[in-house]
C-alpha cells in the first residue's frame, strides 16, 4: 500500500535492478521515470542472468505491470529487441507493458550526434585541445553513446519526437523535418553525413503499430493503483551524482534520476510518495569521466574491480573503483529525502584487511563534512580516508545481521550513523536471494 521510489545514491550501477526485482514481488506496477537504454540493470536468479536497459526490472514477476513513463527516452529498436528477447525467454511482457504517449523517442540522428561529439572530444584531447571550463578534467564525458543527451536536448528545445507523434504521420514527418534542419548542420560540423527526412521517417513510422497497444496515461494508472491501496515502485536509473542538476556537472547524464524526478517523470505529485530508498554499494564506482574523490588508483582499486566484477552492464567499460564516500551519501540523502538506505555488494569487501571510508573532504585549507557548494571544489577535494578492520568470513549465505562478522556490522552502523538514514537492505551476493532485509529500526548496536 505504498508508492516507493528507488534511486541510485552514487554514480549509477549500485545494484538497483536486483533491489527492484526483490521489491517488485509485492508491487502491482513498476515504473521507469527517466533515462533510457544508457541504463543497464542486472538481475541474477538461480544462476540465470538478465540485463535490462529499458524494460523495468520488475518484469520477471508475471503479475506485475511495467511502465515507461513520460520522463523516459525510448530507442524504439532497442525496446523491440528487449521485448522480443523476453518473448524468446518465455517471459510475456506484451500484456503488461504500458508506455506514456509523452515519452520522447531516441532517433537515429541522436545516436549519431552523441557518438560524433564524443569522438570529436577524444580527438581534441589527443591534439592537446584546452580542457573544459572547469579546468581540471577533459571535455570527454564518456557517455554511453546511446543518444541520451541529444534526445533530452531536443526535448527541452521543443524539437523532439514523442511516442504519440507516431500516430499522426503527417505531423511526424514535420517533426522530423524540423529537427533535422538543425541536426544535419551539427552533424556536418563533426564531419558526419546528414540524415534524409524520408529515410528517418520510414524507419520510425515502422514502429507505430508496435507501440500502439501499450500507450497509456501512466500518471493516471499510478494514481488508480495507489488509490485502491496497491503498491507502486518507481525505478530510478543512473544515480544522484549523475543528475543533470545535482550531479557533478557537466559529467552527468541529461535527466533527473533523483526522487523529485519521479514526480515530473511519471506524472505524480510529491505527496503520493511514501518511501524513498537510496541504493549504494558498500564501496563506490563510477563509469565515464568526472570527479570521484575516493577513487583508488592502486592495486586495491584493481582488487575491487576484480572481486566486484566491475565492468559496465551497458558498455562493458571497466568501472573506476574507490572507497565508500559518506560526504556524497549525505548529499544523496538530502537531495532525495531518503527514508531508507540499501547497501549492496557488502560481500565484495570480504578479505580486505582494512576497509576505507571517507567522512570528510579537504578542500584547500578547509576540512569539510558537507558536499562542497561549488562543483570546482568537488573537483579539487581530497577525501580523508579512514580505515576500519576488515573480515575474512564468507558472508554470501548471511540472511540476518547476526550472520555477519562483527567488523561488517561495525561498517554498516558507521554508514547508517554517518548518513543519518536507516539501512534496511544489505546485499551479500549477486543472486536475488542474497540479501538481508531489516525493518526501520536502526542496525542494532
Ligand atoms: P544497477 O544499474 O544499479 O541495476 O546495477 P548493475 O546491474 O549495473 O550493476 C550492479 C552489479 O552488481 C550487477 O552485476 C548485480 O548483479 C551485482 N550485484 C547487486 N547486488 C549485489 C550484491 O549484494 N553482491 C554482489 N556480489 N553483487 C551484487
Ligand atoms: P544505471 O541505470 C552508470 C554515465 C556514463 C557517462 C554519463 C553520461 O545502469 O545505473 P549518458 O549516456 O547518460 O549521456 O552518459 O553517465 N552513465 C551511467 N553510469 N550507470 C548508468 O546507468 C549510467 N548511465 C549513464 O558513463 O559518464
Ligand atoms: Mg547499471
Amino acid at each position: 500500500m505504498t508508492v516507493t521510489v528507488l534511486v541510485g545514491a552514487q554514480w549509477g550501477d549500485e545494484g538497483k535492478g536486483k533491489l527492484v526485482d526483490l521489491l517488485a514481488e509485492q508491487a502491482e506496477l513498476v515504473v521507469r521515470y527517466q533515462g533510457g537504454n544508457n541504463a543497464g540493470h542486472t538481475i541474477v536468479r538461480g544462476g540465470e542472468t538478465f540485463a535490462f536497459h529499458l524494460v523495468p526490472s520488475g518484469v520477471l514477476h508475471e503479475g506485475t505491470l511495467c511502465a515507461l513513463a513520460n520522463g523516459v527516452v525510448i530507442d524504439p529498436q532497442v525496446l523491440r529487441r528487449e521485448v522480443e528477447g523476453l518473448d524468446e525467454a518465455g517471459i510475456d511482457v506484451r500484456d503488461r507493458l504500458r508506455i506514456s504517449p509523452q515519452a520522447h523517442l531516441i532517433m537515429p540522428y541522436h545516436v549519431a550526434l552523441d557518438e560524433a561529439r564524443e569522438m570529436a572530444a577524444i580527438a581534441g584531447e589527443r591534439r592537446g585541445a584546452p580542457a573544459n571550463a572547469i579546468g581540471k578534467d577533459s571535455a570527454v564525458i564518456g557517455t554511453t553513446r546511446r543518444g541520451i543527451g541529444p534526445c533530452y536536448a531536443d526535448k527541452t528545445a521543443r524539437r523532439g519526437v514523442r511516442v504519440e507523434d507516431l500516430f499522426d504521420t503527417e505531423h511526424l514527418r514535420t517533426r522530423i523535418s524540423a529537427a533535422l534542419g538543425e541536426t544535419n548542420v551539427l552533424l556536418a560540423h563533426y564531419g558526419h553525413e546528414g540524415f534524409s527526412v524520408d529515410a528517418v521517417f520510414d524507419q520510425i513510422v515502422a514502429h507505430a503499430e508496435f507501440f500502439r497497444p501499450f500507450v497509456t496515461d501512466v500518471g493516471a494508472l499510478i494514481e488508480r493503483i495507489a488509490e485502491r491501496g496497491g503498491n507502486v515502485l518507481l525505478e530510478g536509473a543512473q544515480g544522484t551524482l549523475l543528475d543533470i542538476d545535482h550531479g557533478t556537472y557537466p559529467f552527468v547524464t541529461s535527466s533527473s534520476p533523483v526522487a523529485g524526478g519521479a514526480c515530473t517523470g511519471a506524472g505524480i505529485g510529491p505527496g503520493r510518495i511514501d518511501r524513498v530508498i537510496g541504493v549504494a554499494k558498500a564501496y563506490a564506482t563510477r563509469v565515464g569521466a568526472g570527479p570521484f574523490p575516493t577513487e583508488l588508483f592502486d592495486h586495491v582499486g584493481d582488487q575491487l574491480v576484480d572481486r566486484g566484477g566491475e565492468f559496465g552492464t551497458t558498455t562493458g567499460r571497466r568501472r573506476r573503483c574507490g572507497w565508500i564516500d559518506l560526504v556524497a551519501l549525505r548529499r544523496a540523502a538530502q537531495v532525495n529525502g531518503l527514508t531508507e538506505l540499501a547497501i549492496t555488494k557488502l560481500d565484495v569487501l570480504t578479505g580486505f584487511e582494512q576497509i576505507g571510508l571517507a567522512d570528510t573532504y579537504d578542500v584547500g585549507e578547509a576540512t569539510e563534512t558537507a558536499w562542497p557548494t561549488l562543483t570546482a571544489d568537488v573537483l579539487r577535494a581530497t577525501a580523508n580516508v579512514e580505515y576500519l578492520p576488515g573480515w575474512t568470513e564468507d558472508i554470501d549465505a548471511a540472511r540476518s545481521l547476526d550472520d555477519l562478522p562483527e567488523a561488517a556490522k561495525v561498517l554498516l552502523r558507521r554508514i547508517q550513523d554517518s548518513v543519518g538514514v536507516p539501512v534496511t537492505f544489505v546485499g551479500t551476493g549477486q543472486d536475488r536471494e542474497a540479501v538481508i532485509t531489516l525493518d526501520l529500526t536502526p542496525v542494532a548496536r
Side-chain angles (χ1 to χ4, degrees):
M1 286 170 294
T2 49
V3 175
T4 302
V5 185
L6 187 134
V7 296
Q10 296 165 319
W11 280 282
D13 301 327
E14 297 92 346
K16 300 177 292 294
K18 172 178 155 176
L19 257 294
V20 169
D21 177 45
L22 197 75
L23 293 169
E25 197 151 10
Q26 316 286 336
E28 268 185 60
L29 169 67
V30 181
V31 183
R32 279 275 310 266
Y33 59 86
Q34 48 71 231
N37 60 310
N38 47 348
H41 298 174
T42 317
I43 299 169
V44 179
R45 287 180 152 204
E48 205 178 347
T49 302
F50 301 86
F52 299 114
H53 301 285
L54 265 172
V55 170
S57 303
V59 69
L60 297 180
H61 299 273
E62 280 176 13
T64 305
L65 295 175
C66 292
L68 301 178
N70 59 282
V72 176
V73 288
I74 304 173
D75 185 325
Q77 200 71 44
V78 172
L79 181 62
R80 286 184 83 149
R81 271 207 306 272
E82 206 155 278
V83 169
E84 284 159 13
L86 284 162
D87 287 342
E88 281 160 26
I91 299 160
D92 184 15
V93 66
R94 289 176 192 264
D95 285 344
R96 301 186 279 130
L97 186 61
R98 305 287 183 270
I99 300 177
S100 164
Q102 281 87 45
H104 279 245
L105 295 176
I106 297 182
M107 307 293 276
Y109 47 83
H110 292 140
V111 180
L113 192 54
D114 198 1
E115 173 97 18
R117 283 188 175 135
E118 280 288 306
M119 297 292 278
I122 291 167
E125 193 166 81
R126 287 210 188 100
R127 283 196 308 272
N132 76 5
I134 287 179
K136 186 171 164 188
D137 218 325
S138 79
V140 180
I141 308 278
T143 74
T144 58
R145 303 189 189 186
R146 299 297 191 262
I148 305 295
C151 183
Y152 278 114
D154 273 2
K155 171 179 177 173
T156 312
R158 295 160 293 188
R159 213 173 29 218
V161 178
R162 312 210 287 190
V163 168
E164 62 188 351
D165 299 331
L166 290 170
F167 311 123
D168 180 344
T169 47
E170 268 327 292
H171 178 65
L172 176 63
R173 192 183 290 277
T174 311
R175 301 294 303 162
I176 293 171
S177 172
L180 275 180
E182 288 184 40
T183 307
N184 278 341
V185 175
L186 280 173
L187 285 168
H189 168 78
Y190 291 109
H192 196 289
E193 211 177 304
F195 284 78
S196 96
V197 175
D198 284 344
V200 174
F201 173 82
D202 289 346
Q203 196 180 330
I204 291 300
V205 81
H207 297 296
E209 293 317 307
F210 168 80
F211 274 86
R212 199 185 288 278
F214 306 131
V215 170
T216 306
D217 181 336
V218 174
L221 176 65
I222 297 172
E223 195 65 22
R224 275 202 302 280
I225 293 175
E227 273 298 314
R228 67 163 186 265
N231 291 327
V232 178
L233 185 56
L234 294 141
E235 174 183 6
Q238 289 79 54
T240 304
L241 298 169
L242 289 172
D243 184 274
I244 184 75
D245 289 289
H246 304 289
T248 50
Y249 193 89
F251 305 102
V252 293
T253 191
S254 299
S255 68
S256 303
V258 297
C263 293
T264 51
I268 56 167
R272 259 289 162 224
I273 297 168
D274 304 294
R275 292 168 81 186
V276 183
I277 304 174
V279 187
K281 283 174 181 159
Y283 49 99
T285 65
R286 174 164 203 167
V287 202
F292 182 2
T294 60
E295 184 167 13
L296 288 161
F297 298 96
D298 57 6
H299 72 283
V300 182
D302 294 339
Q303 279 176 323
L304 283 171
V305 174
D306 291 344
R307 297 184 195 177
E310 295 298 351
F311 293 91
T313 309
T314 298
T315 56
R317 285 177 293 174
R318 186 181 199 276
R319 295 174 182 149
R320 300 156 63 192
C321 286
W323 296 122
I324 194 164
D325 183 339
L326 301 173
V327 181
L329 278 184
R330 284 194 292 271
R331 170 66 166 184
Q334 174 238 308
V335 168
N336 293 294
L338 296 185
T339 60
E340 293 165 57
L341 258 184
I343 300 297
T344 62
K345 304 190 93 163
L346 187 66
D347 53 296
V348 173
L349 296 182
T350 298
F352 281 92
E353 203 170 307
Q354 48 179 13
I355 291 159
L357 54 85
D359 221 340
T360 62
Y361 291 163
D362 278 345
V363 182
E365 299 295 296
T367 300
E368 307 282 357
T369 53
W371 183 254
T373 306
L374 301 179
T375 307
D377 286 340
V378 180
L379 273 164
R380 68 192 186 105
T382 328
N384 293 314
V385 176
E386 46 184 297
Y387 294 91
L388 297 178
W391 62 89
T392 52
E393 299 91 325
D394 195 337
I395 62 166
D396 284 45
R399 296 293 175 268
S400 83
L401 273 189
D402 292 339
D403 298 336
L404 291 179
E406 187 54 31
K409 285 194 266 192
V410 168
L411 174 66
L412 290 174
R413 259 180 246 138
R414 176 66 190 274
I415 295 169
Q416 178 175 266
D417 290 348
S418 177
V419 181
V421 175
V423 172
T424 52
F425 298 92
V426 180
T428 59
Q430 220 186 356
D431 201 273
R432 75 184 296 260
E433 306 296 328
V435 69
I436 299 172
T437 306
L438 301 156
D439 60 23
L440 276 170
T441 32
V443 175
R445 261 145 229 287

